[in-house]
Amino acid sequence: MSIEKLKEKIEDIEICMFSTVEPDGRILSRPMSTRKMDPDGTLWFFTNELSEKVDELEMYENVNLAYANVNKQSYVSISGSAEIVKDRMVIDKLWSPILKAWFPRGLEDPNLALIKVIPHSAEYWNASSSKMEQMLNVAKAIMKGKQYETGEHGQINLR
């Protein structure tokens, strides 16, 4: 699967669960809005450079992004490395007035920064049928004592 296919799978999903590693090794996830995906697969997110997640990223650059489109029964997990970007030209380019809900000072906020995620690999899962059909297939698997087949699953190497 190509980067174009990855983009197709996540482009309608605005919020992902963005996971980082805390100093004690625990994994912490929080919902974040994907601002943009570049043609090379780089993903961009806005943040406050004084947030704890920035401290976590400075210690451990590895992240995971989990996207879910429940209506389409499509799920994507992206592993990659992240870095903080404070380039005002890039911030200006990616800014949207709706972001003032999270960053009330807007582009004047001196702590406004971006998280740049370079994906290394990804996996996806797609249900092969409607929810009703899935429930019937789960029931059949239980009755027959067989494992339920969840649908299509694939891995993507993006490096």
Side-chain angles (χ1 to χ4, degrees), residues 106-154:
L107 290 170
E108 302 306 314
D109 188 337
N111 299 318
L112 192 60
L114 293 165
I115 300 174
K116 175 183 178 180
V117 176
I118 300 168
H120 298 188
S121 65
E123 289 189 63
Y124 65 94
W125 297 262
N126 294 325
S128 57
S129 55
S130 70
K131 288 183 184 183
M132 180 61 80
E133 207 173 327
Q134 288 174 38
M135 288 191 300
L136 289 171
N137 289 336
V138 167
K140 284 181 192 177
I142 291 169
M143 290 172 53
K144 292 181 178 181
K146 295 184 177 182
Q147 184 173 351
Y148 171 65
E149 296 295 326
T150 59
E152 180 186 9
H153 170 249

Side-chain angles (χ1 to χ4, degrees), residues 67-79:
Y67 292 86
N69 185 329
V70 178
N71 292 333
K72 291 183 179 179
Q73 293 291 296
S74 177
Y75 307 92
V76 179
S77 175
I78 300 172
S79 295

Side-chain angles (χ1 to χ4, degrees), residues 57-70:
L57 292 173
E58 288 174 349
M59 293 181 84
Y60 305 102
E61 68 178 15
N62 294 325
V63 297
N64 182 268
L65 312 175
Y67 292 86
N69 185 329
V70 178

Side-chain angles (χ1 to χ4, degrees), residues 14-15 33-35 46 94-107 112:
E14 182 183 348
I15 305 295
S33 175
T34 306
R35 188 68 199 123
F46 274 89
L94 296 177
W95 179 259
S96 169
I98 193 76
L99 294 169
K100 281 192 102 174
W102 293 272
F103 306 99
R105 294 174 65 191
L107 290 170
L112 192 60

